[in-house]
Amino acid sequence: MKTRANAPYKITVVGTGYVGLSLSVLLARQHKVYALDIVPEKVAMINRGQSPIADRELEAELAGGGLDLTATLDPEEAYRDAEYIIVAAPTNYDPEKNYFDTSAVESVLRAAVQAAPAATIVIKSTVPVGYVERVRKTLGCPNLLFSPEFLRESRALYDNLYPSRIVVGCDMASADQRVRAGRFAALLQSAAVKQDVPTLIMGTTEAEAVKLFANTYLALRVSYFNELDTYAEVRGLDAGRIIEGVCLDPRIGDHYNNPSFGYGGYCLPKDTKQLRANYADVPENLIDAIVAANDTRKAYIVDAVLRRLALLPGDDRTVGVYRLTMKTNSDNFRESSVQSVIKGLQAAGVRVLLYEPALTDTSTFLGCEVEKDFAAFAARSDLIVANRYDECLAPVRDKVYTRDLFGRD
Ligand SMILES: NC(=O)c1ccc[n+]([C@@H]2O[C@H](COP(=O)([O-])OP(=O)(O)OC[C@H]3O[C@@H](n4cnc5c(N)ncnc54)[C@H](O)[C@@H]3O)[C@@H](O)[C@H]2O)c1
């Protein structure tokens, strides 16, 4: 095995979503990378130098053509002689089992360990606490590490070029594992543009906990400012002034405090629920409350919209929903909170009209009509609901209901 972090390695990244594609591009600046997926369209796009994900840095790097990156559907080509195999397959939350569905990760691990038994396999997917220790034994993967991924979907490649920290989990009792973990951390360090990235090597179970506790803190913070905002709105107070006053305390800080319709996205909803499941026999109140607070907030927003609607004249009214996305400048609306608001309004019998430019190939979504023309959308809506305010709404500001107080994500 090569020992220098900057030697060109053959690295296989499995899954070309936000995590896998950003890592593939990051590492293909210095190494030979194979990006393995099961979706032919994604593989074809990447090999044409196009990004299946809307992300300006990823698009520019792929279009630039300076990467040693091959996307493939062929596990044999991908795994042959691989020195590192990075797993970035999905781990969706299974509502029946109340646990992550880790079957995609397991099918990758089985194939990878058989095809390249000497490779260091690193799970980047978010997994339940205690998962790696278990599968290392049950699947016979002695060279398995876990490294939590902290990227934001809107800045996927940027966050790997300028990481907040690098965390690698290994079996701390094994000298071989500690060496592999150190080498993988060095690989990520040398791929980053940022120098002196704080780096932690720890047990795999602790590293898994780092990921779920970090996301659960973010969900807690979102929920806290959302509940502050609910209180202020119900009591007729100026939520913005209260938040400013609260956040001038440097221990609290003036960031990540803009009210919204609830936390959403692919990760926070599922990661909070997984951490709650990991607490099964451990006393807690807060983790449960974070999950419940988000449902309460979304239900409150539905009620607030219905109350406003009731004040309008007539009874044949349309609520326009301006964008499905969680964040400004995003085209991704996986698990976005506004979708729960739409469902709540529909359950109350309200007609919902949607404006979402990212929906190019459909005229309906969640059973509501998609209006492609913004002017027509604004004219046809009696009330416009926007999780994030946009200047284009200024001419119809008096129709808009939003809790976006600071114009930021
Ligand atoms: N999106 C984020 O911001 C983020 C951040 C940190 C961690 N994570 C975690 O990383 C993991 C991946 O997240 P993502 O957002 O990149 O997911 P994604 O859904 O965007 O991408 C997953 C990719 O894996 C592919 N895939 C599925 N099964 C496969 C298989 N058996 N073999 C090969 N490819 C397969 C899919 O086709 C898809 O391209 C999840 O566990 C997630 O929780 C995500």
Side-chain angles (χ1 to χ4, degrees):
M1 178 180 267
K2 301 178 191 97
T3 51
R4 283 174 40 243
N6 56 0
Y9 291 109
K10 173 170 173 179
I11 301 174
T12 301
V13 179
V14 192
T16 63
Y18 286 85
V19 173
L21 187 60
S22 63
L23 284 166
S24 298
V25 169
L26 174 88
L27 295 168
R29 290 151 52 98
Q30 296 168 345
H31 304 276
K32 171 74 218 162
V33 175
Y34 282 81
L36 177 67
D37 208 291
I38 50 175
V39 179
E41 296 75 23
K42 286 190 166 191
V43 165
M45 275 185 89
I46 296 165
N47 286 336
R48 284 199 302 270
Q50 295 169 335
S51 173
I53 290 166
D55 177 298
R56 37 190 160 96
E57 285 99 356
L58 274 179
E59 285 162 6
E61 283 282 341
L62 280 164
L67 302 172
D68 196 353
L69 173 63
T70 305
T72 180
L73 295 164
D74 178 6
E76 159 65 24
E77 179 188 30
Y79 292 135
R80 194 188 316 122
D81 302 325
E83 292 161 285
Y84 286 95
I85 297 170
I86 299 174
V87 186
T91 50
N92 298 339
Y93 187 76
D94 180 339
E96 307 250 298
K97 288 198 221 138
N98 281 324
Y99 230 69
F100 281 169
D101 174 359
T102 51
S103 55
V105 172
E106 272 133 52
S107 76
V108 172
L109 291 179
R110 279 192 199 93
V113 79
Q114 207 188 358
T120 297
I121 306 178
V122 186
I123 296 182
K124 271 277 176 187
S125 304
T126 305
V127 294
V129 183
Y131 177 78
V132 166
E133 203 171 291
R134 182 162 57 77
V135 294
R136 223 185 251 134
K137 292 184 197 121
T138 56
L139 298 183
C141 298
N143 305 336
L144 186 59
L145 308 175
F146 171 74
S147 174
E149 176 57 60
F150 301 108
L151 63 79
R152 296 163 298 173
E153 289 191 351
S154 48
R155 303 301 302 275
L157 179 58
Y158 178 91
D159 284 348
N160 270 307
L161 291 168
Y162 300 89
S164 54
R165 69 281 212 201
I166 291 168
V167 176
V168 183
C170 66
D171 175 359
M172 292 298 281
S174 154
D176 177 66
Q177 278 263 314
R178 291 198 306 274
V179 169
R180 286 177 190 269
R183 284 185 188 151
F184 185 68
L187 189 75
L188 294 181
Q189 282 167 344
S190 74
V193 171
K194 183 174 158 185
Q195 298 294 302
D196 303 322
V197 180
T199 299
L200 302 174
I201 309 285
M202 60 180 74
T204 35
T205 309
E206 283 79 4
E208 291 160 344
V210 166
K211 177 63 197 170
L212 292 186
F213 276 101
N215 268 358
T216 302
Y217 174 77
L218 297 177
L220 163 77
R221 192 163 166 116
V222 172
S223 302
Y224 176 84
F225 287 103
N226 282 344
E227 285 207 351
L228 184 162
D229 179 66
T230 299
Y231 181 84
E233 199 182 31
V234 169
R235 293 280 189 257
L237 304 174
D238 183 339
R241 295 301 283 173
I242 301 173
I243 294 172
E244 278 176 49
V246 167
C247 291
L248 278 169
D249 184 329
R251 291 170 301 179
I252 299 173
D254 184 20
H255 61 273
Y256 211 58
N257 57 4
N258 191 18
S260 67
F261 293 169
Y263 62 77
Y266 179 44
C267 293
L268 298 197
K270 76 180 178 77
D271 292 0
T272 45
K273 287 181 188 154
Q274 178 56 53
L275 186 59
R276 183 181 59 175
N278 273 113
Y279 264 91
D281 53 354
V282 178
E284 64 93 11
N285 293 111
L286 202 49
I287 311 295
D288 239 349
I290 294 166
V291 174
N294 209 40
D295 291 337
T296 301
R297 174 67 171 176
K298 291 187 284 194
Y300 167 76
I301 296 292
V302 172
D303 283 348
V305 173
L306 292 175
R307 275 198 305 277
R308 272 184 169 60
L309 204 56
L311 298 175
L312 298 179
D315 50 12
D316 185 28
R317 289 157 313 205
T318 298
V319 170
V321 169
Y322 176 77
R323 305 226 54 181
L324 291 169
T325 46
M326 289 299 302
K327 297 177 179 174
T328 324
N329 300 327
S330 160
D331 71 343
N332 174 1
F333 40 84
R334 290 196 281 190
E335 302 287 324
S336 65
S337 51
V338 73
Q339 295 188 59
S340 304
V341 173
I342 290 174
K343 288 177 196 156
L345 292 172
Q346 287 170 328
V350 173
R351 182 168 56 238
V352 178
L353 181 67
L354 184 59
Y355 178 74
E356 177 45 75
L359 285 177
T360 47
D361 53 0
T362 179
S363 55
T364 59
F365 185 83
L366 288 180
C368 41
E369 182 188 341
V370 179
E371 172 57 72
K372 303 258 192 298
D373 179 61
F374 177 75
F377 164 79
R380 291 175 62 194
S381 303
D382 297 293
L383 185 66
I384 296 175
V385 172
N387 182 51
R388 287 290 171 248
Y389 185 73
D390 187 283
E391 270 313 307
C392 73
L393 294 166
V396 285
R397 183 68 184 91
D398 54 343
K399 283 188 185 182
V400 176
Y401 176 74
T402 183
R403 297 309 299 160
D404 177 358
L405 302 181
F406 304 120
R408 61 175 184 239
D409 291 324

